[in-house]
Each structure stands twice: as structure tokens, then as C-alpha cells.
């Protein structure tokens, strides 16, 4: 596979052909906020809407996880317009997230915190109304806890679980009610989950955490 | 090859013609009843039964045809009676009841009296009677897509073929596929599903995509509330659609087709399924179509009815048995679609236009319409307008002509306020936009959308904030929830609009609302989210004063918003002795004031509007008042003796 040279934030970088801007940037130590991106995934979910960047010659910001790199491409990850879109998406997520970092097992490893710091957004954003779900926490697994209220619906756990051929969890409901759940909504402990913990390790926030860390 | 196709088609046509004339029997009267869903809703099936009963056993030989949507939906049920060799051309009767139907059969089918009192007009221009073509609206209308609707029997392929149907297919099969694509490109046809993408270009992309197998899907999901033009075609003229699909399939080199119809359209499913079956029997589908070496077949897929399933990538997911959720484009379906194969997705109206273009030529088609948008467009008129129903006009017709000349304007002497165009993702345009020539680009520039062609007319009784809220509530409910901005953003917007209609918002909230609307438009994954803010953005653009009145003065100018208005009985108009309102009030909120005048107890009133309907029109004493601060002080009750 041939490599491609492009410029991201005035820095010349090279990356393999076929890669998206997001991975080209991350691999070269340029951070772009992201929640839903999985490197191995050929059809990116593109659902978190945090990875907006500006590309010279494109009229509108694009999602870095879906945009393939091209030779000589010039990318700006700090453009006003793209950052404004990313901030809005992040603030919407935070407005629907129980922000209680001090008591959260994901504190300091949380991708929401990282993105907020990067984009200069307060975790307790006031722009939008707090819209929380009040769903029961599922602690039926012997080794991990699932808190759907903290879930940002990035879909990484669902993808991983299916990729491993287990398929214990999936998406249910539409719109604001969309959530990750096991089949027929039974407790995860009673599903065909085999406690491999892959979902816990891929969760970018504190929605899936190991019991030993709480 | 070419001559074989021509002779196979000629034979097919002759067979159909002779079968059709046998059925119609030349000199016998023919009765047609419009029994599409619109007709059925108005009682067309009872009319049909009454006609059959009146004809009785002795006149079973008089053909009674069920045709589709005849077009004048405001006057349903509709009946056409044709008496070949008689004095008059085929006549169209409106508002037909079973009793009128009985009269029509006795007086005109059996007798010679055309019963002019029930006549809407003749179907053809003639010397004796006014015809539908003489209506002022027909100068503005141009029927291409709907031209067969209500005029042919959708359940009988012979009728379609006998009038030249599938001739365009036979003609296409004698051309090189590339030349068919060229012809469609040259015609300037753009997709009628909403976005207006060049149909020829889309076919070309699919044609050029390397693959051993390709698909074509007709998008008949028609999810916009109030839109029913695609349904009219599916129910009234399914063969035009099938012919269009086969031509497209041949041109783009696809082997298999689907018609994706929402399951809420049972009659459409039934008629299209039957039409496909008939087309197969006539070798218009299947192997070696009309003697050519092109093979292709179509099946019907019933959609579950989610609005977002009309979006092409979600639609494909749904056919593949996955959740109907959109994914990022590119790849576009024309390159990588159903089962990973190149797939054309076109709207019903787009595909139904195709046989006409091949038949009459690209130049004919591109001669109709305006600038970059050729041909005609179909609208479903609804709301505060005299003539509701379908109309078809050349692109470039002004909104004013559609609403006032064709739609007959606003009833009850009310004032036009806005037109909501393009369905829930469209926008509200004010009086000042009425002279806009309609096409994809002009509407987009004005902040609205062509969409599927729904047009809802609003008058001064409609609150623009509430209208925006209504449409946003629809899209919010239909958001699949996959992407952050659409899932959470539309919910936040809806909350803000709720606050405004309740008088609980601050002026700064308008800035947040507008910014969020722009970000959802720019930041959503699919076009549902990208267009959902349109009703809010257009009302903010053209009717900002109404938003400000709600916030600043707690005043709803249309006096619609529940929390900002109250019912009030005007003392000078109330006829003390009449008790109509008191009797009808379900919560006993109306009492008799000191002087005998009726008074509403605002603490009890639930604003159900029944008292307004009960108050005799000659008094018309009950009004709505907004803001609440303008409500006069309530009169104390009459003292009990
Ligand atoms: C939320 C949403 C709903 C849609 N619904 C329909 C529909 O009901 N019918 C339709 O033809 N196109 C619909 N579309 C547009 C389709 O995605 C697609 O663009 C269209 O079918 C292409 O056909 P055309 O090129 O003939 O216009 C919808 C798009 C979105 C985003
Ligand atoms: S990482 Fe690109 S949209 Fe989530």
C-alpha cells in the first residue's frame, strides 16, 4: 500500500492510502475529538459528530472519520466552523449526561472529558437544558456494571460484541429513547454475554465499567 | 434484434387492443368510478355497489371500471360516464352519492338525460357542455406524470397497452442502453424524491460501476404526512411506473428491481403486485423481455412505515433486513448499494416520467419547465385552501398561481398567511415569496424544499411558532437516534419551541435556537437531520415578529397557543336568553353573569372550543384573546334569588 502525504494543522504527515483523516491525525499525535470511531471498521458509524474538521477546497466541514485522505490534502482541525459544530455535538451529549465525574470510574480516562478540555467546553454546560434519562443501572453481571444513563450511544460495544460473534447486546428504540440493551431487555447477566469484558475496555465513557474499579 | 422487438410489441398491442375492445364492446356505455384511496375515503365503494345494483342482472354487459384518482379530490366520489356514439363526450360527475349514482344510471346510462345538475364537466372540450379543460385552472396545469390517472383501468394491462403503453419500453429496447441514458440526461429530468439530482447522471454512475449484478429500487415510501401523489400513481397507473422501471433497468444495466411501498398503502401494494403479475404474463418482465435479450424482474417490498426509511441508505438497510437507519454517504447507492451492489434509487414520479420522455423525446420534455428544472411537478394541496387535492404544473409556475388560480385561494374570506411546502423538512414561505417560480433551486434558496410536493396553506388563524413546532415534533419523533445532533438537538429545539409557545422563553433563547438549528443542518449524518430545522429556520426568517411577540408580550398573534390565550364572551354580542354555550360546556365553566350575560370561569375553562361552535353564528359572541393581560375582568355571577 502506498503512502500519502498531507498537511494537518500546518504539519506535514504521511499515512497509508485509504486511511481516513481521523486516523492519519491520531497516528501523528494530532488529536481530533471522537467517540464512535473504530480503526478496524470499514464502514464508520459516523454517529457521534465530534470529529468535524475543515478541508481546503470543501465548502463545509466534514467528519474526519469518513473522509479518506488524498495526496496534498490540507486539513485544519481548529477551524471556527468545524469546532463550533463539534462543540454543539459535545454540549448536546453533556446536557444529556449525568456529570458526576468525582464518583465515576471513568474519571480521567473519559473521552468526554478529553474532548471537552480540547474544545474548551465546560462539563456543566449551560447552553442546553439538562435532559437526563432515568433508567435502572444493570449490575447483573458478576464482573461489570452497565449504566445506560451515562451511555453516549457511540455503538463501539455493540460493534465489538457482534464482531466477536457473541451478539449479546444491540441497539433498541428510536430517537431520544435509543439505547444499548440486551435482547428483549433482559439483564445482561442473564443474556448470552460471556463476560469477556471487551465492551468494558472499549467504552469511551463510564457506561460500562468493571466492578473492581468501582 | 430490433425488428423482432418491434414485431413482438406490435403483436402484443394488437392482442391487447382486441381484448380491450371486446370488453368495452365499442358502442356500449362505459361507467368509471374513481376508487383510489381518496375516492374510497369519500364513499366510492358504496357508489360502485349502487351502480352495479342499479344495472342489475339485465345489464351486466355494461362495463363498470374501477379507475384510480381522477384528480378532483375535493369533489369525490367521482364518476365518469362515456356513451360512445352519443351526443356528449365522456362526462364527469362529482359529489356522487349512492342515490345520485342510481339516478345517473337510470337517467343517463339507460336514458338520454345527462343529469346536468350533478355534472362537474365534460372530459373533453366540446360545443355543448363546459369541459374540465375550460376551467380556469387548466390553463395553469399540465398533466404528464398523472396523465393516465383516473383515465385507465389500473387493474387491466390491456387498457394500458391498447393506448400505447409499453411502447416506450419497446422503443428503448431497440436503442443502445447508453443512448437511453443519454436521452434521459438530455431531457434534464431531475429526481422527484426531493433533492432533484439528475436522473440521467445517476443512471450513468450505476452503469459505469463495475459489478456482476446491479439493482434498481423504486422509492414508494412516501412518508410525508399529507402527501399522497405517489400513492395516486401506484393505485391509478401502476403500469407507467413498471414501464419506467424496466426502461431504467435496461439503461443502467440492472438485473433485479424492487418497489418499496409502505405497508400502510394496502391498495397500492395490491395494484402494483397485480400489475407486475400481468406484465410478467405479457413478457414485459422476466426473461428476454419483448423478444429482446434483456432479462429483468421486479418484486414488491413492503416497508414498515418509518419516515426515515424513505432515506435511501436506510431504505436499503431495511430491505436487507437490518434496522432502517441511514449511514454515511459516500459510498452512494449508485456505486455501492443493496447487498453491496450498485443500485439506482428513484422516486415513483421520476420513474413514471421516463416512458413519456422516451416516447415523446427529450426535447419535448425539456421544452416544459424552467431554467435548470425541466418537466412538471405534482403537488398535494391541503390546509386552508378551496380546492384540496392533486395538481400537476410545469416547473417554474409561481406559488401564487398554484394557490390562487388552481387551488381557488383561501376559503371563508380569510387572509393568506404562509405556505408550508416540502413536507416536514420543508419550510414556511410568506406572501412575499408567492411570485417565486417553483423549482428545486429557488425553493432551496428561500429556505424551503421541493420535498415530495406537499403544500399546506396557512391563514391568519395559524400560529407560525406552533406550525414550526408541529413539523419539528414530527421529525423529532421520526429521528432514528443514530447521530448525536439529530437525536439530541431536535429534542432540545422542540423544548425551546415548547417554552416559546408557553410564553416561558427569553429573547436570548432565539439566538440559541437559531444557532442550534444551523448546527443540526450542517452537522447531521443524514438528510432527515439536515433538513429537520427548515420549518423553524424559515419561520424565524420570515415571521420572527411572531416569535418575539410570544416571548416579549406573551402574545400569540393567531391566538392559538394554549397558555397564551383565553376564551371570552363579548358582552355586547351575547344574547342573554340563549343558553347554547352553557349547555355544551363539558366542564361547567360558563355561568350567568349579573346582567344575564354568560361569563367564562377562566379557572375551569379547558379551552376545548366547543362553546365557540355552539354559539349561534348570528351572535358569534365568543372570541379568543391574547395576551391574557388583555382579558377584561370577569363579571360576578348573577345573585341567586
Ligand atoms: C428522511 C427522508 C425521507 C425521504 N423520503 C422519501 C420518500 O418517501 N420518497 C422518495 O422518493 N424519496 C424520499 N427521500 C429521498 C431519497 O433519499 C432519495 O433521494 C430519492 O428516493 C431519490 O430519488 P430521485 O432521484 O428520483 O428523487 C427521503 C429522504 C430523507 C432524508
Ligand atoms: S468519530 Fe467521526 S462521527 Fe464519531
Amino acid at each position: 500500500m502506498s503512502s500519502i502525504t498531507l498537511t494537518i494543522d500546518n504539519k506535514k504527515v504521511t499515512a497509508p492510502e485509504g486511511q481516513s483523516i481521523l486516523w492519519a491525525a491520531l497516528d501523528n499525535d494530532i488529536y481530533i475529538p471522537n467517540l464512535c470511531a473504530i480503526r478496524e471498521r470499514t464502514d464508520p458509524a459516523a454517529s457521534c459528530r465530534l470529529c468535524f474538521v475543515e478541508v481546503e477546497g470543501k465548502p463545509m466541514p466534514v467528519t474526519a472519520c469518513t473522509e479518506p485522505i488524498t495526496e496534498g490534502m490540507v486539513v485544519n482541525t481548529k477551524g471556527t466552523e468545524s469546532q463550533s459544530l463539534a462543540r454543539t455535538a459535545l454540549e448536546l451529549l453533556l446536557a444529556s449526561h449525568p456529570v458526576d465525574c468525582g464518583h465515576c470510574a471513568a474519571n480521567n480516562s473519559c473521552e468526554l472529558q478529553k474532548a471537552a478540555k480540547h474544545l474548551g467546553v465546560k462539563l456543566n454546560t449551560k447552553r442546553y437544558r439538562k435532559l437526563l434519562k432515568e433508567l435502572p443501572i444493570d449490575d447483573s453481571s458478576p464482573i461489570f456494571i452497565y449504566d445506560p444513563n451515562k451511555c453516549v450511544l457511540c455503538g463501539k460495544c455493540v460493534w465489538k460484541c457482534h464482531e466477536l460473534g457473541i451478539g449479546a447486546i444491540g441497539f433498541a428504540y428510536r430517537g431520544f429513547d435509543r439505547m444499548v440493551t440486551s435482547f428483549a431487555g433482559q439483564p445482561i447477566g442473564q443474556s448470552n454475554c460471556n463476560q469477556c469484558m471487551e465492551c468494558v475496555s472499549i467504552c469511551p465513557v463510564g457506561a460500562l465499567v468493571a466492578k473492581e474499579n468501582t | 434484434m430490433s425488428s423482432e422487438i418491434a414485431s413482438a410489441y406490435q403483436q402484443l398491442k394488437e392482442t391487447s387492443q382486441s381484448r380491450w375492445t371486446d370488453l368495452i364492446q365499442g358502442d356500449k356505455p362505459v361507467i368509471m368510478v374513481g376508487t383510489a384511496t381518496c375516492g374510497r375515503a369519500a364513499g366510492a365503494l358504496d357508489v360502485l355497489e349502487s351502480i352495479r345494483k342499479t344495472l342489475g342482472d339485465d345489464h351486466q354487459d355494461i362495463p363498470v371500471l374501477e379507475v384510480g384518482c381522477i384528480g378532483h379530490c375535493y369533489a369525490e366520489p367521482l364518476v365518469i360516464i362515456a356513451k360512445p356514439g352519443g351526443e356528449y363526450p365522456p362526462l364527469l360527475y362529482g359529489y356522487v352519492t349512492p342515490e345520485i349514482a342510481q339516478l345517473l344510471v337510470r337517467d343517463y346510462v339507460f336514458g338520454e338525460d345527462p343529469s346536468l345538475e350533478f355534472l362537474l364537466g365534460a372530459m373533453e372540450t366540446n360545443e355543448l357542455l363546459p369541459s374540465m379543460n375550460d376551467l380556469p385552472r387548466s390553463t395553469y396545469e399540465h398533466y404528464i406524470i398523472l396523465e393516465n390517472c383516473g383515465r385507465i383501468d389500473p387493474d387491466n394491462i390491456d387498457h394500458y397497452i391498447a393506448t400505447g403503453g409499453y411502447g416506450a419500453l419497446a422503443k428503448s429496447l431497440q436503442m443502445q442502453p447508453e443512448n437511453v441514458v443519454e436521452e434521459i440526461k438530455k431531457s434534464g429530468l431531475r429526481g422527484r424524491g426531493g433533492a432533484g439530482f439528475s436522473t440521467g447522471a445517476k443512471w450513468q454512475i450505476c452503469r459505469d460501476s463495475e459489478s456482476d449484478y446491479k439493482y434498481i429500487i423504486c422509492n414508494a415510501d412516501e412518508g410525508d404526512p399529507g402527501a399522497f401523489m405517489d400513492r395516486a400513481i401506484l393505485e391509478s397507473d401502476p403500469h407507467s411506473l413498471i414501464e419506467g422501471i424496466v426502461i431504467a433497468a435496461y439503461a443502467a444495466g440492472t438485473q433485479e428491481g424492487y418497489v418499496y411501498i409502505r405497508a400502510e398503502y394496502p391498495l397500492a401494494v395490491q395494484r402494483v403486485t397485480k400489475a407486475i403479475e400481468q406484465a410478467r404474463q405479457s413478457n414485459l418482465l422476466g426473461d428476454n423481455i419483448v423478444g429482446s435479450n434483456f432479462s429483468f424482474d421486479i418484486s414488491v417490498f413492503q416497508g414498515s412505515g418509518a419516515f426515515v426509511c424513505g432515506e435511501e441508505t436506510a431504505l436499503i438497510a431495511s430491505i436487507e433486513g437490518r434496522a432502517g437507519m441511514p449511514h454515511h454517504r459516500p459510498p452512494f447507492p449508485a456505486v455501492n448499494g443493496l447487498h453491496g451492489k450498485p443500485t439506482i434509487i428513484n422516486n415513483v414520479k421520476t420513474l413514471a416520467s421516463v416512458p413519456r420522455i422516451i416516447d415523446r423525446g427529450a426535447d419535448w420534455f425539456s421544452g416544459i419547465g424552467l431554467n435548470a428544472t425541466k418537466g412538471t411537478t405534482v403537488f398535494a394541496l391541503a390546509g386552508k385552501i378551496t380546492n384540496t387535492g392533486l395538481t400537476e404544473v410545469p416547473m417554474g409556475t409561481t406559488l401564487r398561481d398554484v394557490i390562487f388560480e388552481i387551488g381557488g385561494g383561501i376559503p371563508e374570506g380569510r387572509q393568506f398567511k404562509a405556505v408550508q411546502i416540502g413536507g416536514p423538512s420543508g419550510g414556511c414561505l410568506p406572501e412575499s415569496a408567492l411570485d417565486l417560480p417553483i423549482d428545486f433551486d429557488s425553493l432551496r434558496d428561500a429556505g424551503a424544499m421541493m420535498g415530495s410536493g406537499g403544500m399546506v396553506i396557512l391563514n391568519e388563524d395559524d400560529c407560525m411558532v406552533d406550525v414550526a413546532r408541529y413539523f419539528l415534533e414530527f421529525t423529532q419523533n421520526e429521528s432514528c437516534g443514530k447521530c448525536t445532533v439529530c437525536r439530541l438537538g431536535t429534542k432540545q429545539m422542540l423544548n425551546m419551541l415548547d417554552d416559546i409557545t408557553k410564553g416561558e422563553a427569553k429573547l436570548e433563547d432565539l439566538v440559541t435556537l437559531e444557532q442550534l438549528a444551523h448546527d443540526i443542518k450542517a452537522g447531521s449524518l443524514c438528510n432527515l437531520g439536515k433538513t429537520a430545522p427548515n420549518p423553524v429556520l424559515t419561520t424565524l426568517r420570515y415571521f420572527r415578529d411572531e416569535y418575539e411577540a410570544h416571548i416579549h408580550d406573551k402574545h400569540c398573534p393567531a391566538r392559538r397557543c394554549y397558555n397564551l390565550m383565553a376564551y371570552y364572551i363579548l358582552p355586547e354580542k351575547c344574547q342573554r336568553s340563549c343558553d347554547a354555550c352553557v349547555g355544551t360546556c363539558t366542564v361547567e365553566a360558563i355561568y350567568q353573569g349579573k346582567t344575564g350575560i354568560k361569563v367564562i370561569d377562566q379557572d375551569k375553562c379547558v379551552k376545548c372550543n366547543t362553546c365557540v361552535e355552539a354559539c349561534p353564528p348570528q351572535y358569534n359572541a365568543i372570541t379568543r384573546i391574547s395576551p391574557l393581560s388583555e382579558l377584561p375582568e370577569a363579571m360576578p355571577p348573577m345573585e341567586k334569588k
Side-chain angles (χ1 to χ4, degrees):
Chain A
M1 196 178 286
S2 59
S3 74
I4 281 187
T5 309
L6 68 159
T7 311
I8 307 180
D9 294 348
N10 297 320
K11 183 176 162 192
K12 263 212 161 41
V13 302
T14 54
E17 187 182 353
Q19 204 165 48
S20 67
I21 296 177
L22 180 69
W23 296 107
L26 294 177
D27 288 349
N28 285 283
D29 297 322
I30 300 168
Y31 175 64
I32 297 172
N34 69 90
L35 288 173
C36 69
I38 302 176
R39 189 187 288 268
E40 305 85 68
R41 216 180 142 160
T42 47
D43 56 333
S47 61
C48 75
R49 318 308 284 168
L50 290 187
C51 67
F52 279 105
V53 296
E54 290 169 24
V55 174
E56 238 178 66
K58 299 227 174 222
M60 297 272 287
V62 296
T63 38
C65 64
T66 55
E67 195 68 24
I69 51 170
T70 55
E71 191 60 42
M73 183 181 235
V74 179
V75 180
N76 178 7
T77 73
K78 303 223 165 67
T80 335
E81 254 188 273
S82 61
Q83 290 220 330
S84 154
L85 289 182
R87 267 187 208 112
T88 296
L90 180 62
E91 285 181 69
L92 286 168
L93 283 171
L94 288 170
S96 290
H97 188 81
V99 177
D100 184 20
C101 303
H103 297 101
C104 179
N107 195 10
N108 293 326
S109 65
C110 172
E111 290 289 331
L112 282 176
Q113 289 176 325
K114 188 173 177 188
K117 188 160 175 231
H118 181 81
L119 292 168
V121 166
K122 283 209 183 72
L123 290 170
N124 272 313
T125 167
K126 293 276 176 309
R127 190 146 61 125
Y128 306 120
R129 180 182 305 181
K130 207 80 198 168
L131 293 175
L132 296 175
K133 292 180 184 163
E134 280 167 28
L135 297 165
I137 292 172
D138 185 345
D139 59 2
S140 60
S141 153
I143 48 173
F144 69 90
I145 295 174
Y146 167 48
D147 182 351
N149 304 299
K150 289 186 185 167
C151 174
V152 289
L153 295 169
C154 70
K156 279 184 176 171
C157 55
V158 173
W159 185 84
K160 193 78 202 175
C161 192
H162 281 254
E163 195 67 7
L164 294 167
I166 305 162
I169 47 174
F171 283 111
Y173 312 116
R174 311 166 48 77
F176 188 73
D177 298 327
R178 181 168 159 95
M179 67 180 292
V180 171
T181 174
S182 61
F183 278 104
Q186 77 214 102
I188 287 187
Q190 290 158 32
S191 72
N192 58 332
C193 165
N194 66 4
Q195 319 295 333
C196 71
M197 297 292 273
E198 289 289 339
C199 59
V200 174
S201 61
I202 208 173
C203 178
V205 296
L208 286 160
V209 292
K211 279 192 173 166
E212 60 179 22
N213 291 343
T214 56
Chain B
M1 190 85 255
S2 185
S3 67
E4 286 157 36
I5 297 169
S7 72
Y9 176 70
Q10 195 52 36
Q11 204 176 356
L12 184 68
K13 189 169 173 184
E14 278 161 20
T15 318
S16 286
Q17 272 169 340
S18 81
R19 277 206 295 247
W20 182 249
T21 17
D22 279 353
L23 179 77
I24 295 303
Q25 303 199 350
D27 49 341
K28 283 257 162 37
V30 182
I31 306 172
M32 298 192 240
V33 184
T35 60
T37 298
C38 45
R40 291 183 178 199
L45 292 182
D46 294 336
V47 169
L48 186 70
E49 194 189 307
S50 162
I51 292 175
R52 293 226 164 98
K53 227 160 86 195
T54 317
L55 287 173
D57 292 339
D58 297 346
H59 297 279
Q60 285 299 318
D61 52 337
I62 295 182
V64 183
L65 307 179
E66 288 187 51
V67 295
C69 175
I70 299 171
H72 301 272
C73 301
Y74 56 91
E76 300 273 11
L78 297 162
V79 173
I80 297 174
I81 302 177
K83 291 184 84 173
E87 203 171 343
Y88 307 107
L91 301 180
L92 173 67
Y93 300 91
Y95 309 101
V96 179
T97 61
E99 295 74 32
I100 297 177
Q102 192 177 7
L103 281 175
L104 290 175
V105 173
R106 295 221 175 113
D107 295 351
Y108 187 46
V109 177
F110 296 162
E112 291 303 321
D113 170 10
S115 309
L116 296 180
E117 62 274 35
F118 306 118
L119 184 74
L120 277 187
M123 295 295 286
E124 291 155 19
T125 312
N126 66 95
E127 312 260 283
L128 296 169
L129 292 172
S131 90
M132 298 312 284
N133 306 336
D134 303 334
L135 288 180
R137 66 184 278 176
S138 68
T139 9
Y140 297 92
E141 296 183 300
H142 191 142
Y143 279 71
I144 293 176
I145 301 171
L146 299 177
E147 67 183 6
N148 282 339
C149 292
R151 280 153 192 80
I152 63 159
D153 182 348
D155 269 342
N156 191 329
I157 194 171
D158 289 329
H159 197 177
Y160 183 70
I161 298 176
T163 53
Y166 288 103
L169 172 61
K171 184 171 167 185
S172 302
L173 292 172
Q174 295 171 62
M175 294 160 70
Q176 289 303 316
E178 301 80 23
N179 295 343
V180 180
V181 176
E182 268 324 304
E183 189 74 3
I184 295 299
K185 272 195 207 161
K186 209 172 111 199
S187 74
L189 177 64
R190 294 170 70 178
R192 285 347 190 212
F197 190 79
S198 157
T199 306
K202 191 183 276 187
W203 295 7
Q204 183 78 58
I205 296 169
C206 179
R207 193 173 168 74
D208 293 345
S209 298
E210 261 338 292
S211 179
D212 53 342
Y213 208 80
K214 295 177 188 177
Y215 294 96
I216 176 165
I217 301 171
C218 169
N219 188 344
D221 190 49
E222 196 162 51
D224 290 15
F228 55 93
M229 28 278 173
D230 292 354
R231 188 187 69 198
I233 297 166
L234 299 166
E235 291 179 354
S236 316
D237 188 21
H239 285 290
S240 284
L241 176 63
I242 294 171
E243 186 175 4
I245 296 175
V246 186
I247 295 172
Y250 173 72
T254 76
Q255 287 82 9
E256 194 179 335
Y258 286 93
V259 185
Y260 186 100
I261 309 179
R262 53 177 33 227
E264 287 93 331
Y265 282 1
L267 184 61
V269 170
Q270 183 194 319
R271 289 203 169 147
V272 173
T273 308
K274 185 162 179 190
I276 290 175
E277 195 47 50
Q278 292 176 343
R280 256 183 224 136
Q281 281 162 12
S282 301
N283 188 221
L284 294 157
L285 285 173
D287 291 337
N288 303 99
I289 292 174
V290 241
S292 71
N293 42 30
F294 175 62
S295 301
F296 172 77
D297 212 335
I298 305 179
S299 34
V300 170
F301 188 96
Q302 294 193 42
S304 59
F307 176 62
V308 74
C309 285
E311 196 281 335
E312 51 193 31
T313 61
L315 187 152
I316 287 176
S318 143
I319 296 185
E320 290 174 349
R322 294 181 289 125
M325 297 213 173
H327 69 67
H328 180 81
R329 296 180 310 174
F332 287 93
V335 177
N336 179 342
L338 187 58
H339 307 303
K341 305 288 183 194
T343 303
I344 291 181
I345 300 196
N346 275 136
N347 172 258
V348 176
K349 291 169 293 262
T350 314
L351 290 166
S353 307
V354 166
R356 277 54 151 178
I357 296 173
I358 297 297
D359 203 27
R360 291 163 229 178
D363 292 337
W364 161 79
F365 190 79
S366 63
I368 305 161
L370 181 90
N371 305 335
T373 312
K374 304 303 184 193
T376 57
T377 181
V378 181
F379 286 112
L381 304 179
K384 316 280 170 50
I385 187 157
T386 308
N387 304 328
T388 55
L390 293 184
T391 182
E392 182 172 351
V393 294
M395 291 282 187
T397 306
T398 64
L399 284 167
R400 190 183 300 283
D401 286 343
V402 173
I403 296 166
F404 290 91
E405 302 301 335
I406 296 171
I410 321 299
E412 295 165 24
R414 309 307 289 249
Q415 280 295 309
F416 169 88
K417 184 175 196 176
V419 48
Q420 207 286 339
I421 183 168
S425 358
C428 294
L429 303 180
E431 170 87 36
S432 62
L434 281 183
D435 293 308
L436 204 66
I438 302 166
D439 75 8
F440 293 103
D441 311 308
S442 65
L443 288 178
R444 185 162 350 99
D445 293 345
M449 230 177 72
M450 186 76 107
S452 59
M455 210 189 251
V456 185
I457 316 303
L458 308 170
N459 73 12
E460 73 255 41
D461 281 338
D462 294 298
C463 166
M464 299 314 291
V465 184
D466 194 47
V467 166
R469 207 201 71 87
Y470 170 83
F471 284 106
L472 190 72
E473 186 170 32
F474 176 86
T475 29
Q476 205 276 315
N477 270 325
E478 294 294 334
S479 163
C480 75
K482 180 174 175 181
C483 88
T484 308
V485 269
C486 178
R487 177 180 74 243
L488 300 173
T490 55
K491 183 96 179 165
Q492 294 280 358
M493 278 180 74
L494 193 60
N495 275 325
M496 293 181 205
L497 289 174
D498 268 336
D499 287 352
I500 297 171
T501 55
K502 287 182 186 151
E504 290 168 3
K506 300 185 292 294
L507 271 183
E508 309 91 87
D509 293 346
L510 283 189
V511 180
T512 315
L513 176 66
E514 198 160 17
Q515 181 62 47
L516 180 56
H518 279 296
D519 288 348
I520 295 173
K521 239 177 123 86
S524 288
L525 173 62
C526 88
N527 277 337
L528 188 146
K530 284 184 202 294
T531 55
N534 283 346
V536 176
L537 284 170
T538 46
T539 44
L540 274 170
R541 175 163 159 193
Y542 298 113
F543 299 95
R544 202 179 191 94
D545 51 331
E546 286 200 25
Y547 281 84
E548 288 168 356
H550 281 74
I551 295 173
H552 215 255
D553 310 321
K554 312 235 176 294
H555 170 49
C556 172
R559 299 168 300 158
R560 277 283 150 213
C561 290
Y562 190 88
N563 295 55
L564 302 185
M565 68 84 174
Y567 285 88
Y568 177 68
I569 300 177
L570 298 161
E572 67 276 18
K573 286 197 175 177
C574 174
Q575 295 296 313
R576 297 136 209 258
S577 53
C578 154
D579 269 343
C581 57
V582 179
T584 186
C585 180
T586 47
V587 292
E588 297 183 7
I590 305 180
Y591 61 85
Q592 204 157 58
K594 229 160 65 190
T595 54
I597 282 168
K598 305 298 176 296
V599 185
I600 296 176
D601 180 343
Q602 299 296 341
D603 292 336
K604 287 186 182 167
C605 176
V606 292
K607 306 179 189 178
C608 66
N609 206 53
T610 35
C611 58
V612 176
E613 280 152 33
C615 183
Q618 64 271 32
Y619 308 152
N620 196 14
I622 309 181
T623 180
R624 303 189 310 271
I625 288 189
S626 176
L628 296 180
S629 58
E630 282 179 15
L631 194 65
E633 204 170 314
M635 185 185 291
M638 184 184 261
E639 276 158 36
K640 295 226 171 72
K641 295 223 176 84

